[in-house]
Amino acid sequence: RYFMRMEVEDRPGVLAAIASVFGNNHVSIAQVIQKSVGEGTAELVIITDEVKELYFTDALNILKRLSIVNSISSLIRVY
């Protein structure tokens, strides 16, 4: 399982795009929390179900390249 905190653009379709990246890479999301943090910016906290590290790393590499993701501030593997 992983705990991830990221800052993203706050507009329609962003959460769907991020969920799609996870789904396409065999990563199941257990929980999502979203908070608005400023003009046009939201903070997402995502906790995954158990997943192989390879699958999560593949998804993470794609997320880092998305223009809608401003930053990934925390990433913790939960055992």
Side-chain angles (χ1 to χ4, degrees), residues 3 25 28 35 43 49 65:
F3 170 96
N25 287 280
S28 179
K35 295 190 301 185
E43 179 184 68
D49 284 325
R65 294 192 310 261

Side-chain angles (χ1 to χ4, degrees), residues 3 39 51 58 64:
F3 170 96
E39 187 68 31
V51 62
D58 288 346
K64 287 179 179 179

Side-chain angles (χ1 to χ4, degrees), residues 3-58:
F3 170 96
M4 173 189 280
R5 182 184 308 265
M6 64 176 72
E7 203 168 277
V8 299
E9 291 183 15
D10 190 7
R11 61 181 173 86
V14 170
L15 182 57
I18 290 169
S20 177
V21 169
F22 280 126
N24 290 338
N25 287 280
H26 312 288
V27 179
S28 179
I29 297 172
Q31 189 174 18
V32 176
I33 301 169
Q34 179 176 333
K35 295 190 301 185
S36 181
V37 292
E39 187 68 31
T41 304
E43 179 184 68
L44 283 181
V45 175
I46 298 175
I47 301 170
T48 71
D49 284 325
E50 288 186 17
V51 62
K52 291 184 179 180
E53 186 174 354
L54 174 66
Y55 295 155
F56 185 83
T57 302
D58 288 346

